Amino acid sequence: MAEITENIRKEVKEIVYNFFAEECEVDVSEIRETTKIIKELGGDSLMFLELIEIFKKKYHLDIELKNIGKYAVKHPVETIGQLIDMQMLIIEHENKILEVTK
Amino acid sequence: MTRKEKSAFIFPAFVHSYPEDPFAGLPGAEDFFTSLLEQVSLHTGFDLTRFNYSFNNLSDNELFTQFITYCYSVTLANILQRKGYNPDFGTGYSMGIYAALVATDVISFADGIDLIKNAHEAITSITGREKYGMCSIIGLNRDDIISVIHTEDLRVGITNQNGEFAFVLSGTKDDIHRFIEYAIAEGALHTREIITSIPYHSALLKETAIPFGFFVNNLVFKQPHYGIVSLIDQKILTDPFQLKQEVIRNLFYPLNWYKTQLKLVNMGVCQFVECGFGNSLAKNSKFIEGDYQFLSVTRFLNLMERG
C-alpha cells in the first residue's frame, strides 16, 4: 500500500490524461476531470483494463481485478475525475479497496 | 513482400455496425465490394445490394451481416493480393474463417457463400425453438468464470478467450442473462450481451457436424498459399483435409484467440493486418506482450508503399 503524495496524484492524472488522449485520438487539452469517458471520449472497458495494468506495473500493485470490479459496481466511474479518484484508491489500498467506505 | 518481418492476415468475425467510411483510402474497393454483394444476391436469392453501411439497414438479419462482413474481408484480401502482398500466416477469427480460406485460394468466393449459408442452415435446424445467446466478459479469469458456471449450474460455456481476463461465452439465452448477473456480482469489470441468437463455437451445436460435415466434405479444398493457424488448437494447417476439419469443428469447438495470437507472436510475426470492419482484434491484442503491431489494411498499405 502506498501513501498518496502530491507527486503521485500529479503523476496519476498525467498518465490518465495522456492515455485517453492517445487511445481516443483527442488532444490532451480537450480532456477535463468532468469529461465523460464513454460518452464523450468513446472509451471502453478494454481501455480501462489496460490502464489498470499500467498502474499495476508502475506501482507494483497487489490487486485482483475482480476486487476492482466489485468496487466499481458500488461506485460507478463515468468521468475522468472519478477514474483518477478510483486509481488513487487502488494505489492506496490495493486489495483492501473493498474495505474503503466512500 | 519486400521485408524480413513476418506478417499475418487476420479475418475478423461478423459485426453489426460499420465505420463511417470503410472504403476511405482504398481506391476501387467500394465497386469491388458492391460486385461481391451482387454475386451473393444472385447466388442466394437474398437481395444484399440494398445494403448501405451508412444506414446499417440489414443489421437485424444475422445471415446477411455475415455475408456483408465476408464480402468486405474478401474485398480487402483482393486488394492485398493484387498488390502482391502475401503474409506468412493467415487466420480467421470465428466466422472470419471463410474469408481467410478465400484469401489464400483454398476455396472460391462462391464456395464461401455456400459454406456460410449451409452453416447457418445446419445451425438453425438444430437450435429449433430454444433461445440461445452469447456474451463477452472482461475482468474475471477462466477459473472465476468456470466457478460461476458450476456453482450456478448454468447451460453456458466459454467459447473464446481474447485475453487473460477477456472471454466470450455461449449458451441458452436465459442462462447467459443469469451468468451476466452473477459475473457482475463476482467482480466482472464489464459484461455485454452479444447480438446473436446462435451459441457459436459451443458444444450445443455439435449436431451440425453431420449435415454441415457432409456439405464441407463434398467441396473441393485446395492447398493454401500460406499456413492457416487454427483458433481451436493453434496448429498450422496446410492440408486441405485439415482445413475441412477445421471448418466443420469451427461451429461447435471453443476457440482461443489469445493463444493463437501468442503462437503467432512466438513464431516471429511482427505485423498483424486486420482484414475487416473495425479494430476489435487490435484492441484485444494490447494485453499480449511482444514486439509487434496491429494494422488496418489502409495503414499496412501506406507503410508498404512508403517502403
Side-chain angles (χ1 to χ4, degrees):
Chain A
M1 287 203 279
E3 192 186 330
I4 301 299
T5 62
E6 202 46 47
N7 265 352
I8 291 181
R9 180 172 288 277
K10 203 177 150 191
E11 201 170 56
V12 168
K13 187 176 173 179
E14 203 174 293
I15 291 170
V16 169
Y17 273 54
N18 288 334
F19 175 83
F20 281 104
E22 192 185 328
E23 290 291 322
C24 303
E25 294 174 0
V26 295
D27 196 284
V28 73
S29 63
E30 290 175 31
I31 301 176
R32 303 269 181 279
E33 297 233 345
T34 53
T35 303
K36 291 178 179 166
I37 299 166
I38 295 172
K39 283 184 186 166
E40 293 176 47
L41 292 177
D44 60 35
S45 48
L46 280 174
M47 289 180 195
F48 185 60
L49 185 58
E50 197 184 347
L51 196 58
I52 290 170
E53 289 300 319
I54 290 170
F55 284 113
K56 271 175 83 172
K57 278 184 191 162
K58 182 162 180 61
Y59 296 105
H60 310 288
L61 301 176
D62 175 24
I63 177 88
E64 282 196 61
L65 280 178
K66 58 183 175 184
N67 285 338
I68 300 174
K70 283 176 186 169
Y71 180 85
V73 168
K74 290 180 185 166
H75 308 92
V77 165
E78 196 182 358
T79 64
I80 290 286
Q82 287 168 340
L83 180 64
I84 292 169
D85 289 343
M86 189 163 103
Q87 291 294 352
M88 305 300 291
L89 287 172
I90 291 169
I91 294 167
E92 191 177 358
H93 299 283
E94 299 179 64
N95 267 323
K96 290 186 178 167
I97 191 171
L98 291 173
E99 294 167 20
V100 175
T101 48
K102 192 181 149 190
Chain B
M1 250 177 259
T2 56
R3 61 188 163 68
K4 286 177 186 166
E5 299 90 10
K6 286 185 182 168
S7 65
F9 288 176
I10 315 296
F11 295 85
F14 63 95
V15 294
H16 291 272
S17 59
Y18 307 99
E20 210 169 293
D21 183 0
F23 305 104
L26 301 166
E30 188 160 8
D31 288 345
F32 190 80
F33 173 74
T34 305
S35 75
L36 294 184
L37 286 181
E38 283 166 4
Q39 282 187 55
V40 174
S41 303
L42 278 173
H43 203 86
T44 61
F46 305 131
D47 181 13
L48 295 187
T49 57
R50 60 201 164 94
F51 169 67
N52 185 319
Y53 59 85
S54 307
F55 304 135
N56 197 4
N57 54 337
L58 298 178
S59 64
D60 55 346
N61 185 310
E62 211 160 307
L63 181 58
F64 291 179
T65 57
Q66 279 198 50
F67 281 132
I68 291 161
T69 301
Y70 172 64
C71 289
Y72 186 69
S73 286
V74 171
T75 299
L76 297 179
N78 176 269
I79 293 169
L80 292 164
Q81 201 173 39
R82 273 191 288 121
K83 287 182 178 282
Y85 298 126
N86 282 301
D88 299 276
F89 303 101
T91 191
Y93 179 100
S94 184
M95 306 314 269
I97 191 169
Y98 308 114
L101 293 177
V102 174
T104 186
D105 291 333
V106 169
I107 56 169
S108 67
F109 178 71
D111 284 346
I113 299 171
D114 285 334
L115 280 170
I116 292 169
K117 190 164 173 277
N118 274 273
H120 195 263
E121 283 169 3
I123 289 167
T124 47
S125 73
I126 65 159
T127 47
R129 285 186 197 168
E130 184 142 24
K131 290 186 175 172
Y132 296 97
M134 294 177 75
C135 70
S136 62
I137 173 168
I138 291 171
L140 297 185
N141 64 27
R142 186 176 281 271
D143 290 343
D144 291 333
I145 292 172
I146 289 171
S147 167
V148 169
I149 294 169
H150 287 169
T151 307
E152 305 303 335
D153 193 22
L154 303 174
R155 283 183 73 202
V156 303
I158 294 174
T159 47
N160 196 359
Q161 179 172 8
N162 285 322
E164 204 181 337
F165 297 98
F167 294 85
V168 176
L169 288 91
S170 300
T172 60
K173 196 97 172 165
D174 286 346
D175 279 2
I176 284 287
H177 291 161
R178 288 171 63 204
F179 173 79
I180 287 174
E181 278 176 36
Y182 294 126
I184 291 169
E186 193 59 28
L189 288 171
H190 177 78
T191 56
R192 181 176 65 88
E193 190 174 354
I194 295 171
I195 309 168
T196 182
S197 57
I198 293 170
Y200 287 106
H201 318 300
S202 150
L204 293 164
L205 298 181
K206 205 171 179 180
E207 284 174 46
T208 58
I210 296 169
F212 189 56
F214 182 76
F215 177 76
V216 172
N217 284 321
N218 277 310
L219 285 180
V220 175
F221 275 39
K222 292 186 210 154
Q223 193 98 18
H225 299 311
Y226 46 83
I228 297 283
V229 182
S230 164
L231 255 80
I232 296 169
D233 56 19
Q234 289 69 54
K235 286 185 179 151
I236 299 164
L237 312 174
T238 54
D239 174 77
F241 176 75
Q242 289 177 315
L243 289 164
K244 283 187 175 181
Q245 295 309 302
E246 180 77 1
V247 168
I248 297 164
R249 294 192 307 165
N250 183 56
L251 295 187
F252 56 87
Y253 263 70
L255 311 179
N256 197 316
W257 168 247
Y258 180 60
K259 279 190 182 175
T260 306
Q261 197 194 324
L262 271 176
K263 166 114 182 182
L264 286 162
V265 169
N266 289 335
M267 287 192 300
V269 171
C270 302
Q271 286 180 322
F272 290 84
V273 185
E274 192 162 348
C275 304
F277 291 114
N279 60 350
S280 56
L281 296 177
K283 282 183 179 177
N284 279 311
S285 74
K286 290 181 179 172
F287 303 98
I288 295 179
E289 288 187 10
D291 188 17
Y292 64 86
Q293 53 181 170
F294 252 82
L295 302 165
S296 65
V297 169
T298 319
R299 180 121 188 272
F300 174 77
L301 291 173
N302 285 341
L303 275 178
M304 287 295 139
E305 278 154 24
R306 270 188 282 153

